[in-house]
Amino acid sequence: MFTIAALYHFTRFPDYAALRGPLIDLCAAQGVKGSLLLAAEGINGTIAGTRAGIDTVLAHIRTLPGCTDLEWKESFADKMPFGRMKVRLKREIVTMGVPDVDPKARVGHYVIAADWNDLISQPDVAVIDTRNDYEVAIGTFTGAVDPATRSFREFPQWWEENRDRFHNKRIAMFCTGGIRCEKSTNYLLSQGVEDVFHLKGGILKYLEDVPQDQSLWQGECYVFDSRVSVGHGLIPGQNDSCGACRRPVTPEGRAHAAYERGVCCAACAGEYQPEDRARFRERQRQMDLARARGETHLGG
């Protein structure tokens, strides 16, 4: 059984590039895989490994500047959900592209999972899903507004074009683990919105804490690892990932005429050239051969 830890923390790293090498070395020594992003504004990512390995890496992260009170969310899988370990240097740990956004200065009101249903059921509350369109497509909260953004960078423009729809409304926002809401709520506050709330711990915490028979969540939650999606209790869901575009593919999508495992799905049928499809097809063949040998191909 592998422990999966999803984490983010906004803090000031004066020399974040210097943190990369020790993190890579420690993860390699502990057999921990996944992806971590480092920027001047903090750290973000998801890692997986043995219980001892994850504990060791998290203990190291808590020693980084300002990370003593690091929080993370855990789930579990019976196989390693990542093929390798990546630690990348970025301008932002979640890219919004608005220079003045600063979650360390001010964010919206945190709402714990147990209180979320009551808040979003109020008639004067507008619920906004801050995730990307492909994530929203497989699951969201009942009645939530879908901005239909392809990336988080598009959210500020969407808000500017739609803000009049939410006049005299309290705004409740949510995302997978909470990080996008840290920035989006700070942004809305800077735009003069007075009552802004966000789901503490994100959808993952809600699915962990709220029983399914009391839930206002519909569908599954997209996650950025080989599980593709999870449901209530953070149990792996029924979705696969398209080998070409990496969008989630539902069981119904796998029955579509355009679907070819590892090569194409209905959503990306018109997005690639024949030579790209040939390359994806060869990658899938190599992955199948590796699997038959009992090995893991890094492309999978």
Side-chain angles (χ1 to χ4, degrees):
M1 184 65 67
F2 291 91
T3 300
I4 304 167
L7 61 98
Y8 73 86
H9 192 73
F10 286 98
T11 186
R12 302 298 182 199
F13 288 149
D15 185 6
Y16 63 94
L19 308 178
R20 182 173 182 268
L23 261 176
I24 292 175
D25 293 343
L26 180 61
C27 288
Q30 294 295 323
V32 169
K33 299 179 181 181
S35 179
L36 291 171
L37 305 180
L38 290 168
E41 66 180 7
I43 185 169
N44 176 31
T46 304
I47 53 175
T50 63
R51 175 77 270 169
I54 291 297
D55 287 347
T56 299
V57 174
L58 292 175
H60 172 77
I61 294 174
R62 288 198 300 272
T63 68
L64 302 181
C67 290
T68 305
D69 56 347
L70 173 78
E71 295 183 7
W72 64 92
K73 289 168 287 297
E74 290 188 356
S75 54
F76 303 92
D78 57 7
K79 64 178 182 179
M80 170 59 76
F82 297 105
R84 66 189 82 180
M85 184 67 216
K86 297 176 286 187
V87 182
R88 294 175 174 172
L89 305 179
K90 294 284 189 176
R91 290 185 178 181
E92 300 177 68
I93 57 173
V94 58
T95 303
M96 192 178 200
V98 180
D100 295 333
V101 167
D102 182 10
K104 290 293 291 181
R106 185 172 59 150
V107 296
H109 303 290
Y110 291 108
V111 180
I112 63 172
D115 296 335
W116 183 249
N117 286 357
D118 181 62
L119 174 67
I120 67 174
S121 298
Q122 301 302 312
D124 66 331
V125 172
V127 187
I128 300 177
D129 194 330
T130 67
R131 299 172 303 150
N132 300 332
D133 52 5
Y134 62 88
E135 299 171 80
V136 180
I138 63 169
T140 191
F141 282 105
T142 303
V145 175
D146 174 14
T149 51
R150 296 189 64 180
S151 76
F152 191 47
R153 276 185 173 273
E154 298 177 4
F155 182 83
Q157 180 179 345
W158 174 84
W159 174 258
E160 288 302 314
E161 295 171 352
N162 291 271
R163 61 187 305 157
D164 290 344
R165 296 168 52 187
F166 306 105
H167 181 63
N168 290 332
K169 290 283 189 178
R170 294 186 290 161
I171 305 296
M173 311 175 84
F174 65 92
C175 57
T176 307
I179 185 170
R180 277 175 274 198
C181 290
E182 300 278 354
K183 285 197 167 182
S184 58
T185 58
N186 177 269
Y187 173 74
L188 260 61
L189 289 167
S190 74
Q191 299 301 301
V193 183
E194 295 181 358
D195 291 319
V196 185
F197 304 83
H198 56 128
L199 177 58
K200 184 174 177 59
I203 302 161
L204 295 180
K205 188 61 175 173
Y206 183 92
L207 293 178
E208 180 181 10
D209 289 356
V210 177
Q212 188 166 359
D213 61 357
Q214 300 173 24
S215 176
L216 296 181
W217 176 262
Q218 297 180 324
E220 296 179 356
C221 177
Y222 182 86
V223 291
F224 296 86
D225 59 60
S226 66
R227 295 172 298 169
V228 184
S229 64
V230 295
H232 283 86
L234 302 183
I235 297 172
Q238 300 300 310
N239 291 277
D240 285 340
S241 178
C242 174
C245 68
R246 300 302 181 186
R247 295 181 179 99
V249 184
T250 64
E252 294 78 16
R254 295 195 290 275
H256 194 281
Y259 177 73
E260 181 180 350
R261 186 170 65 91
V263 179
C264 187
C265 70
C268 71
E271 295 182 355
Y272 294 93
Q273 298 300 316
E275 55 268 29
D276 296 317
R277 299 298 181 191
R279 178 164 49 86
F280 300 152
R281 198 168 284 115
E282 174 59 21
R283 180 184 60 193
Q284 185 60 46
R285 189 180 76 85
Q286 294 297 330
M287 289 168 57
D288 291 340
L289 288 173
R291 190 174 295 109
R293 296 191 298 266
E295 301 172 354
T296 299
H297 190 278
L298 289 180

